[in-house]
C-alpha cells in the first residue's frame, strides 16, 4: 500500500503539480474569460493555465499572480487554496444528480453550468469519480490557450467537389470488417484499463496494425492511478512531408458499473466502434502512398479520465511535433433514430476541421453531420490535443448522449446500426484521405519548401505590406498555381491567372491585416495539377518591423516591388 502511495506521489511530482519548488503552494483558481483577459495580460500574470473551458480558464496561481490579474481588471475565484499533491478531475454535470454524487465522494465545485472540478483529500481522485460520469484529469502541464478574437476574413467559398481518388478509397470501407473488429474487441469480455483483458485487447490491435504492414507500430506505456496501460500507435509515413502528421484515433478501453467492470464491459459502441473505424482506416489507406504522415492511435484509460491521450498529446507537444489535425472517434455506431446525424465537436481554433468533416460526411459518408463549437466538451481524447494547441475534433453519435446501453454490460454489437456506423467511418476516412493527400501517378510532384514572409515597403504615397512566397523547384513542373485563404484549410482561392513559372510569388493584394494561409500546386505542360503543398501561414499586423524589412530593399526590388 505504501509503495503504491509513494509511486502516485512521485508521478504527481513529475507531472508538475508542484510548479513552485521551495515557494508558496499555489491555489487552483477560476479565471473568467472577460475582455480584459487578453493573451498578453495572461502571459504577464504568470499563472499556469491547466484547462481552457468555453467561458473560463482553470489555473494554478500564487498570491502575487492573483493580485497581478486583479490589477489588470480580471477577477479570479480561488477554488482550492492549496493545490498540493492532488489529482483534480473535471467532471460533466450533464447527468441529473451528478453534483450530489460527487459531493458524497469528495469536494466538487461547479465552474460552469455543466462542468465541475472534483478532488479528494488524497491522490487518486480518478478512482473516486462515480461510474457513468464523463471525466478528464486536469492537464499535468500548462496548456495552450487561444484568446485571439475571431478574425474577419475573406468570405469562404463553397467546399470543393468530392475527389474521385478519395471516393475510391472510401468505397473500400467494409461494413463486415467493421462488424468483425467490434465483435473481436467485445470478445475480450472487458477492456477496463487495469485488467489483463484490456492489455490483451491492446495486443490484438498491435497485431492488426503489424499485419497491415504499417510503420512504427508501437506501444506507448503510461501511468494512471496505481496502474499502467498502453496506447497502441502506428503510422503510414508521408512521402512528401513525413513530419506533418494527421491523427485518427479512438479509445479501446471500456467501462461498466463497478460491480461488473473487472469481468464484463463489452463496450461495443463505447468504443469498439471508434477503434474498429481506426483499424479500417488503416486497412484501406495502407495501399496508397501519401503526402503527409497518418498516425493511427488506439488510446487506453480514456474512461479513467483521458490518461492515455493526455500522455500522448503532451509528448507530441513537448517534442514540437507538427500535428495538422486530429479526428477522434468515440461512439459512432448507435442510432436512436434514423436518419441519425453525427455530432462534430470542436473548439474555436479547430472550426475548420469540423467544416471539412461536414463536407466529407456529405461527399463520402451519405451522412448528415452537425458542428458544435464548445471548448467545454472535454470528455474524450480530442481534448488533450486542444491543451497542446493542436486542431482536433470529436465525432460522436449524439450530444447529449441518447444511448440507453452507455457504460452498461448491455453495450453489445447487436445494438449497433451498421448503416450509420459505416457512414460515420466513411466520413472520417474521407476527411483523413483528403488531409493526407494520396499521391497520384502521372501528376506533377507536390511542391515542398513553401515559406511565407511578410514584407513591408513604402511606395510613393503609402506604407504597404505584402507576403513573399518561395518554394522548391518541383521536378517535372511546367509552372505553379498559388492559392490563398484567410481560414486555415478552407476555401482556397487561386491568385494567378496563368501558371507562375518561377518558384516564388509576391502577394500584394492584402489590405490592412489579418492572417493568411497559402498553398502551391504544380502544373505540368498539359495543365494537370498536382496536390497542394503544406500550408504556409503569414500573420500581418502592427508587429511587422518596417525598418528591418526595408533594409532588405535590394532583394525586394528583385522581387518586382515598385
Ligand atoms: Zn468513450
Amino acid at each position: 500500500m505504501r509503495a503504491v502511495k509513494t509511486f502516485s506521489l512521485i508521478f504527481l511530482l513529475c507531472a508538475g503539480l508542484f510548479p513552485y519548488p521551495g515557494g508558496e503552494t499555489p491555489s487552483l483558481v477560476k479565471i473568467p474569460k472577460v475582455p480584459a483577459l487578453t493573451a498578453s495580460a495572461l502571459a504577464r500574470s504568470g499563472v499556469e493555465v491547466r484547462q481552457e473551458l468555453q467561458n473560463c480558464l482553470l489555473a494554478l496561481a500564487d498570491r502575487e499572480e492573483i493580485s497581478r490579474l486583479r490589477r489588470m481588471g480580471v477577477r479570479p475565484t480561488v477554488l482550492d487554496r492549496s493545490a498540493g499533491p492532488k489529482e483534480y478531475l473535471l467532471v460533466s454535470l450533464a447527468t441529473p444528480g451528478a453534483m450530489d454524487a460527487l459531493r458524497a465522494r469528495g469536494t466538487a465545485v461547479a465552474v460552469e453550468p455543466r462542468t465541475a472540478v472534483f478532488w479528494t483529500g488524497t491522490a487518486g481522485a480518478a478512482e473516486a469519480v462515480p461510474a457513468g460520469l464523463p471525466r478528464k484529469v486536469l492537464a499535468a502541464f500548462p496548456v495552450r490557450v487561444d484568446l485571439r478574437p475571431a478574425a474577419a476574413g475573406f468570405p469562404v467559398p463553397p467546399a470543393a467537389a468530392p475527389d474521385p481518388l478519395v471516393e475510391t478509397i472510401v468505397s473500400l470501407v467494409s461494413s463486415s470488417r467493421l462488424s468483425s473488429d467490434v465483435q473481436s474487441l467485445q470478445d475480450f469480455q472487458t477492456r477496463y484499463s487495469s485488467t489483463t483483458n484490456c492489455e490483451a485487447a491492446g495486443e490484438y490491435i498491435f497485431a492488426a496494425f503489424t499485419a497491415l504492414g504499417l510503420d512504427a507500430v508501437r506501444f506507448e506505456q503510461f501511468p494512471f492511478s496505481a496502474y499502467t496501460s498502453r496506447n497502441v500507435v502506428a503510422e503510414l509515413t508521408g512521402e512528401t512531408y513525413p513530419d506533418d502528421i494527421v491523427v485518427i484515433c479512438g479509445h479501446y478501453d471500456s467501462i461498466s458499473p463497478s460491480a461488473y467492470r473487472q469481468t464484463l464491459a463489452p463496450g461495443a459502441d463505447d468504443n469498439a466502434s471508434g477503434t474498429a473505424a481506426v483499424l479500417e482506416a488503416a486497412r484501406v489507406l495502407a495501399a496508397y502512398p501519401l503526402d503527409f504522415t497518418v498516425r493511427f492511435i488506439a488510446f487506453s484509460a480514456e474512461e479513467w479520465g483521458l490518461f492515455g491521450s493526455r500522455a500522448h498529446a503532451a509528448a507530441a507537444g513537448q517534442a514540437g511535433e507538427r500535428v495538422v489535425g486530429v479526428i477522434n472517434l468515440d461512439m459512432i455506431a448507435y442510432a436512436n433514430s434514423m436518419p441519425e446525424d453525427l455530432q462534430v465537436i470542436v473548439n474555436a481554433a479547430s472550426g475548420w476541421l469540423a467544416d471539412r468533416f461536414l463536407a466529407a460526411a456529405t461527399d463520402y459518408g451519405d451522412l448528415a453531420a452537425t458542428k458544435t463549437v464548445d471548448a467545454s466538451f472535454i470528455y474524450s481524447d480530442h481534448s488533450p490535443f486542444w491543451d497542446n494547441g493542436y486542431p482536433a475534433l470529436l465525432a460522436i453519435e449524439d450530444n447529449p448522449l441518447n444511448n440507453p446501453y452507455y457504460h452498461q454490460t448491455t453495450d453489445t454489437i447487436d445494438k449497433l446500426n451498421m448503416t450509420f456506423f459505416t457512414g460515420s467511418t466513411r466520413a472520417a476516412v474521407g476527411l483523413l484521405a483528403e488531409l493526407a493527400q494520396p499521391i497520384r501517378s502521372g501528376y506533377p510532384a507536390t511542391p515542398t519548401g513553401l515559406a511565407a514572409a511578410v514584407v513591408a515597403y513604402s511606395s510613393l504615397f503609402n506604407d504597404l505590406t505584402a507576403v513573399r512566397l518561395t518554394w522548391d523547384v518541383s521536378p517535372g513542373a511546367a509552372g505553379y498555381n498559388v492559392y490563398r485563404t484567410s481560414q486555415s484549410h478552407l476555401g482556397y482561392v487561386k491568385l494567378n491567372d496563368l501558371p507562375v513559372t518561377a518558384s516564388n510569388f509576391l502577394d500584394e493584394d492584402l489590405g490592412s491585416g489579418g492572417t493568411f494561409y497559402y498553398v502551391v500546386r504544380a502544373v505540368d505542360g498539359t495543365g494537370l495539377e498536382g496536390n497542394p503543398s503544406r500550408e504556409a501561414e503569414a500573420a500581418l499586423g502592427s508587429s511587422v518591423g518596417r525598418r528591418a524589412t526595408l533594409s532588405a530593399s535590394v532583394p525586394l526590388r528583385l522581387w518586382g516591388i515598385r
Side-chain angles (χ1 to χ4, degrees):
M1 202 52 202
R2 188 171 171 78
V4 166
K5 270 196 181 144
T6 310
F7 174 76
S8 308
L9 184 60
I10 289 168
F11 171 56
L12 291 169
L13 285 166
C14 297
L17 273 179
F18 281 127
Y20 303 88
E24 175 197 344
T25 304
S27 299
L28 180 69
V29 299
K30 168 185 160 175
I31 304 172
K33 283 185 179 172
V34 292
L37 188 72
T38 59
S40 73
L42 188 62
R44 272 180 288 131
S45 74
V47 303
E48 257 191 37
V49 179
R50 295 298 180 92
Q51 179 66 55
E52 177 174 4
L53 294 170
Q54 191 67 20
N55 303 313
C56 68
L57 309 175
L58 303 180
L60 299 182
D62 63 22
R63 261 172 299 186
E64 172 53 31
E65 291 161 348
I66 291 169
S67 41
R68 236 177 264 151
L69 279 172
R70 291 226 164 92
R71 286 197 294 275
M72 293 187 277
V74 181
R75 311 217 143 264
T77 316
V78 173
L79 304 174
D80 186 13
R81 212 156 273 293
S82 108
K86 282 180 199 149
E87 195 165 64
Y88 294 99
L89 282 103
L90 295 129
V91 183
S92 167
L93 298 177
T95 314
M99 203 58 179
D100 291 341
L102 284 171
R103 287 195 168 139
R105 309 276 191 104
T107 309
V109 183
V111 288
E112 284 190 356
R114 289 172 296 118
T115 311
V117 179
F118 172 77
W119 66 93
T120 59
T122 57
E127 273 169 287
V129 178
L133 298 185
R135 81 281 311 263
K136 177 194 178 188
V137 67
L138 198 68
F141 298 94
V143 302
R144 301 268 207 106
V145 176
D146 187 4
L147 295 172
R148 288 176 301 180
F154 295 109
V156 177
D163 179 316
L165 180 54
V166 172
E167 281 182 324
T168 301
I169 294 170
V170 164
S171 72
L172 301 173
V173 169
S174 148
S175 294
S176 60
R177 293 265 187 177
L178 287 171
S179 134
S180 83
D181 276 329
V182 169
Q183 184 69 56
S184 300
L185 289 164
Q186 178 180 311
D187 287 347
F188 286 96
Q189 304 300 316
T190 182
R191 301 186 309 281
Y192 183 59
S193 296
S194 73
T195 65
T196 53
N197 294 40
C198 175
E199 296 308 297
E203 272 147 35
Y204 166 84
I205 296 161
F206 186 99
F209 282 158
T210 305
L212 290 169
L214 304 188
D215 306 319
V217 182
R218 59 198 186 266
F219 285 118
E220 194 173 62
Q221 186 166 304
F222 60 89
F224 66 100
S225 196
Y227 308 97
T228 63
S229 188
R230 297 172 299 181
N231 301 326
V232 193
V233 186
E235 287 172 5
L236 285 170
T237 309
E239 312 241 325
T240 316
Y241 293 104
D243 296 334
D244 290 46
I245 303 159
V246 186
V247 172
I248 186 163
C249 60
H251 71 90
Y252 70 91
D253 65 307
S254 64
I255 195 168
S256 64
S258 48
Y260 304 98
R261 57 178 66 150
Q262 302 292 333
T263 51
L264 188 63
D269 186 35
D270 188 12
N271 182 36
S273 67
T275 309
V278 170
L279 288 170
E280 188 62 357
R283 190 184 70 83
V284 302
L285 269 180
Y288 293 87
L290 306 167
D291 277 328
F292 298 94
T293 290
V294 176
R295 182 176 290 168
F296 305 90
I297 315 174
F299 287 119
S300 186
E302 191 269 357
E303 300 291 5
W304 280 71
L306 321 182
F307 286 87
S309 51
R310 182 176 78 157
H312 183 92
Q318 275 156 23
E321 288 189 329
R322 280 203 298 270
V323 177
V324 178
V326 177
I327 302 167
N328 175 37
L329 309 173
D330 192 356
M331 305 181 71
I332 56 166
Y334 177 80
N336 62 303
S337 63
M338 281 299 271
E340 177 70 87
D341 63 334
L342 195 61
Q343 305 300 310
V344 181
I345 294 155
V346 287
N347 63 0
S350 312
W352 68 267
L353 200 55
D355 292 339
R356 292 286 300 264
F357 193 103
L358 264 52
T362 309
D363 287 350
Y364 310 112
D366 190 21
L367 181 78
T370 304
K371 170 185 173 182
T372 303
V373 178
D374 183 0
S376 293
F377 200 107
I378 52 176
Y379 305 108
S380 187
D381 295 313
H382 57 287
S383 167
F385 287 98
W386 291 352
D387 292 344
N388 287 279
Y390 296 124
L393 68 77
L394 165 67
I396 189 166
E397 63 216 14
D398 284 303
N399 173 28
L401 282 175
N402 208 340
N403 180 342
Y405 314 108
Y406 173 62
H407 288 182
Q408 301 300 315
T409 55
T410 46
D411 178 7
T412 46
I413 191 166
D414 52 299
K415 316 297 192 322
L416 305 187
N417 182 311
M418 288 312 295
T419 305
F420 174 62
F421 184 13
T422 307
S424 306
T425 307
R426 289 195 162 146
V429 170
L431 175 58
L432 181 68
E434 279 191 352
L435 294 175
Q437 298 185 182
I439 297 171
R440 288 149 231 258
S441 59
Y443 280 70
T446 310
T448 57
L450 178 66
V454 179
V455 291
Y457 58 98
S458 297
S459 75
L460 201 49
F461 305 107
N462 289 311
D463 281 344
L464 299 170
T465 312
V467 171
R468 186 179 68 194
L469 301 169
T470 55
W471 58 92
D472 301 337
V473 172
S474 211
Y480 304 90
N481 290 329
V482 178
Y483 294 82
R484 179 187 64 205
T485 176
S486 58
Q487 297 190 51
S488 178
H489 291 91
L490 282 179
Y492 293 113
V493 176
K494 190 163 80 158
L495 299 180
N496 53 295
D497 294 325
L498 292 171
V500 177
T501 50
S503 61
N504 59 67
F505 185 83
L506 187 75
D507 182 15
E508 296 174 280
D509 181 25
L510 291 173
S512 54
T515 300
F516 299 97
Y517 304 87
Y518 296 88
V519 294
V520 173
R521 308 171 72 157
V523 285
D524 69 10
T526 68
L528 264 188
E529 189 178 39
N531 283 342
S533 65
R534 170 204 291 161
E535 196 176 74
E537 178 178 337
L540 277 62
S542 52
S543 62
V544 174
R546 288 176 182 279
R547 286 296 140 213
T549 40
L550 273 177
S551 69
S553 58
V554 175
L556 285 186
R557 208 162 290 136
L558 290 176
W559 283 90
I561 295 178
R562 295 167 295 278

